[in-house]
Amino acid sequence: MKTVSGKTDRVVIVGAGLAGLSAALRLTGAGREVTVLEREAVPGGRNGLLEVPSPAGDGTYAFDTGPTVLTMPDLIADALDCVGEKLEDWLELEPVDPLYRAYYPDGSTLDVKADSGAMADEVERVCGPAEAKGYLEYVDFVSKLYRYEMQDFIDRNIDSPFDLLTPNLARLAAIGGFGKLAPKVNSYLKDPRTQRVLSFQSMYAGLSPYDALAIYAVIAYMDSVAGVFFPKGGMHAVPRALAGAAEKHGVDLRYGTSVKRVLVEHGRAVGVETEDGECIPADVVVLNPDLPVAYRDLLPPEATPRRVKSLDYSPSCFLMLAGSTQAYSKIAHHNIHFGKSWRGIFDELIDQKSLMSDPSILVTNPSRTDPSLAPDGKHIYYVLLPTPNTTAGIDWDVVGPRYREEAVARLEAMGYVGFGDGIEVEDITTPADWQRRGMEVGAPFAAAHSFFQTGPFRPGNLASKVEGVVFAGSGTQPGVGVPMVLISGRLAAERILGKDKGYRSRAMRLATPSPLAQ
């Protein structure tokens, strides 16, 4: 495994996102002098926080502005363990049950559960005994995927395609991991309702289930078998915990500090210059911003590899955060409303780069699990609709207000009676806004996980033309999602510390499937 050469005593990390904080804990635990520079007033990066006072003066709405699904909390525990801290001392996690409630055009609903026995019972109730049997066989398949993928392909630094030549590669091939996802799911599950709810996760990887490899069913494992949790205080409690532990153990965390460029001398990073003109010396610089943006804005032009300039990106999304007086007793924490169209929406989003004509919508209601996130008796709603990224050329200044009205109308037609009238405060994020926040082409899910943008073909976490620069986050290996970016922080730390020195024994549990999958 390639590592940073020379001295690595002083490390500057640009960005206090989950990946940057994961790396910071591992590096300070190993005795490095670590400084984290964050442009915002709070940690988290894409896992941000928006607090808006209620106009009624009765409290504050606290919105998560990024991910809403937390899986594999052992990865958080592992990062904290690097400085001798325990997860339970920093976070209070509540299991989310059901993980999702899926709504279908025929009026039926399906509750997705982590316990495979309980989920089989639910599938049998909705779809019949044959489908329940197929579901249990599918759980066995995705559990094997996880077992074969995690240690060799996800939780390790990969420098060359030859690094993939392990016994687990043959095992993955033998079980059909390199076929297409949708046909693989359909070989176990015959009902369109279960097919949809167990394959939509490929969107996290920026691909249609008809284009994604079956190995991406591992995302369904992380979501739908290993379990979903919600931290008290919202998802933003995770970066707050990691940042708090890092500061406790000596990391210098500076908020409100934007970095102008990485200082490079004789082909090696020697520090960073902030927008205020301060020069902060470093032996190594870890860059947590979106990888193509970090290359373009922070490194010399000649440092950007050709393949970074020609990446294909995931679709984007339209996000409405609403603080509301309305409550809906029949919804769950996470709710997926599937439209009548399925394959067609992927053609529209990815191939045609147009808005969905029959959108599927995610509605998350975090205050159902943690009422403290809204004023007494009120709720927060996180409404997400997938959209093309900004390469589609949509003028969101014009389209955005109209799309907001259409989204509210659709929600009300789905049963969210009075949704529009109940909104006290709201915040809208369009693909153009994601781009303004530093995400290339407005794609919060980063570069798509097509075959040639995955594993050793994804942009590496070592800058090839500038020594002493390491990347972390969703733009590099292993990829997109909260578990992946936490792992990317560990992989970045390994590039500095050497193999197997970026974590402690707790991480070894990652190679073992959850007992829920047994």
Side-chain angles (χ1 to χ4, degrees), residues 65-317:
T65 61
T68 63
V69 178
L70 177 62
T71 63
M72 302 181 70
D74 273 2
L75 290 166
I76 304 169
D78 175 54
L80 292 169
D81 188 48
C82 291
V83 291
E85 297 289 339
K86 295 181 179 179
L87 173 68
E88 54 269 27
D89 292 335
W90 290 91
L91 282 171
E92 183 179 338
L93 299 181
E94 179 79 18
V96 176
D97 184 29
L99 313 181
Y100 301 93
R101 179 162 293 157
Y103 298 79
Y104 300 98
D106 65 0
S108 62
T109 63
L110 178 72
D111 282 357
V112 180
K113 296 177 175 291
D115 180 84
S116 55
M119 181 60 183
D121 290 342
E122 174 72 357
V123 172
E124 182 170 353
R125 179 188 71 81
V126 178
C127 307
E131 195 73 358
K133 180 176 180 292
Y135 164 75
L136 290 173
E137 292 171 352
Y138 182 71
V139 168
D140 182 62
F141 167 69
V142 296
S143 300
K144 287 177 180 175
L145 276 183
Y146 177 86
R147 196 159 52 240
Y148 300 156
E149 282 186 62
M150 179 56 78
Q151 196 168 27
D152 284 355
F153 303 101
I154 295 175
D155 194 28
R156 65 177 289 207
N157 278 302
I158 301 172
D159 291 320
S160 160
F162 294 107
D163 291 342
L164 302 180
L165 299 179
T166 73
N168 280 332
L169 181 68
R171 295 184 182 111
L172 283 171
I175 65 173
F178 298 106
K180 297 298 185 183
L181 176 61
K184 190 66 178 177
V185 171
N186 297 357
S187 71
Y188 293 100
L189 303 166
K190 307 306 178 184
D191 193 299
R193 293 170 292 186
T194 50
Q195 291 172 354
R196 290 186 183 193
V197 84
L198 290 170
S199 65
F200 81 90
Q201 295 89 349
S202 68
M203 281 292 294
Y204 299 156
L207 297 170
S208 158
Y210 299 94
D211 295 326
L213 296 178
I215 55 174
Y216 286 112
V218 76
I219 305 175
Y221 175 94
M222 295 175 181
D223 258 13
S224 305
V225 180
V228 171
F229 300 84
F230 191 70
K232 184 172 178 57
M235 286 291 290
H236 194 259
V238 176
R240 286 200 303 269
L242 297 177
E247 287 189 291
K248 177 181 175 181
H249 290 273
V251 173
D252 181 12
L253 248 163
R254 305 186 194 179
Y255 297 107
T257 303
S258 295
V259 172
K260 181 178 181 180
R261 64 187 177 113
V262 176
L263 300 171
V264 179
E265 294 180 3
H266 308 296
R268 185 181 180 99
V270 295
V272 300
E273 180 185 356
T274 71
E275 291 288 355
D276 293 335
E278 180 184 6
C279 294
I280 303 172
D283 301 315
V284 184
V285 176
V286 177
L287 297 178
N288 192 192
D290 196 17
L291 180 140
V293 175
Y295 264 117
R296 184 181 65 234
D297 294 350
L298 301 180
L299 291 171
E302 63 274 14
T304 304
R306 183 179 302 172
R307 64 175 175 162
V308 170
K309 297 177 182 178
S310 58
L311 290 169
D312 291 323
Y313 290 88
S314 302
S316 186
C317 62

Side-chain angles (χ1 to χ4, degrees), residues 263-383:
L263 300 171
V264 179
E265 294 180 3
H266 308 296
R268 185 181 180 99
V270 295
V272 300
E273 180 185 356
T274 71
E275 291 288 355
D276 293 335
E278 180 184 6
C279 294
I280 303 172
D283 301 315
V284 184
V285 176
V286 177
L287 297 178
N288 192 192
D290 196 17
L291 180 140
V293 175
Y295 264 117
R296 184 181 65 234
D297 294 350
L298 301 180
L299 291 171
E302 63 274 14
T304 304
R306 183 179 302 172
R307 64 175 175 162
V308 170
K309 297 177 182 178
S310 58
L311 290 169
D312 291 323
Y313 290 88
S314 302
S316 186
C317 62
F318 176 95
L319 175 62
M320 171 189 285
L321 304 174
S324 175
T325 59
Q326 289 283 6
Y328 302 98
S329 60
K330 294 184 179 180
I331 67 172
H333 184 107
H334 295 292
N335 306 274
I336 304 174
H337 299 268
F338 290 106
K340 292 179 182 178
S341 174
W342 181 237
R343 188 164 189 164
I345 66 172
F346 296 109
D347 292 339
E348 289 171 338
L349 278 175
I350 297 170
D351 298 331
Q352 301 171 26
K353 294 189 176 181
S354 62
L355 295 172
M356 296 180 291
S357 58
D358 182 19
S360 294
I361 303 176
L362 170 68
V363 179
T364 299
N365 181 202
S367 49
R368 172 170 296 275
T369 302
D370 185 355
S372 71
L373 299 173
D376 287 347
K378 298 180 180 179
H379 283 276
I380 58 175
Y381 298 96
Y382 179 109
V383 181

Side-chain angles (χ1 to χ4, degrees), residues 347-431:
D347 292 339
E348 289 171 338
L349 278 175
I350 297 170
D351 298 331
Q352 301 171 26
K353 294 189 176 181
S354 62
L355 295 172
M356 296 180 291
S357 58
D358 182 19
S360 294
I361 303 176
L362 170 68
V363 179
T364 299
N365 181 202
S367 49
R368 172 170 296 275
T369 302
D370 185 355
S372 71
L373 299 173
D376 287 347
K378 298 180 180 179
H379 283 276
I380 58 175
Y381 298 96
Y382 179 109
V383 181
L384 185 147
L385 292 83
T387 68
N389 59 44
T390 59
T391 62
I394 296 170
D395 185 346
W396 282 101
D397 290 336
V398 174
V399 174
R402 184 185 76 229
Y403 202 63
R404 182 264 184 203
E405 295 302 316
E406 292 177 3
V408 170
R410 286 186 178 275
L411 289 170
E412 292 181 342
M414 291 172 175
Y416 293 84
V417 178
F419 188 86
D421 290 339
I423 295 175
E424 283 197 324
V425 301
E426 71 175 63
D427 184 78
I428 301 292
T429 304
T430 71

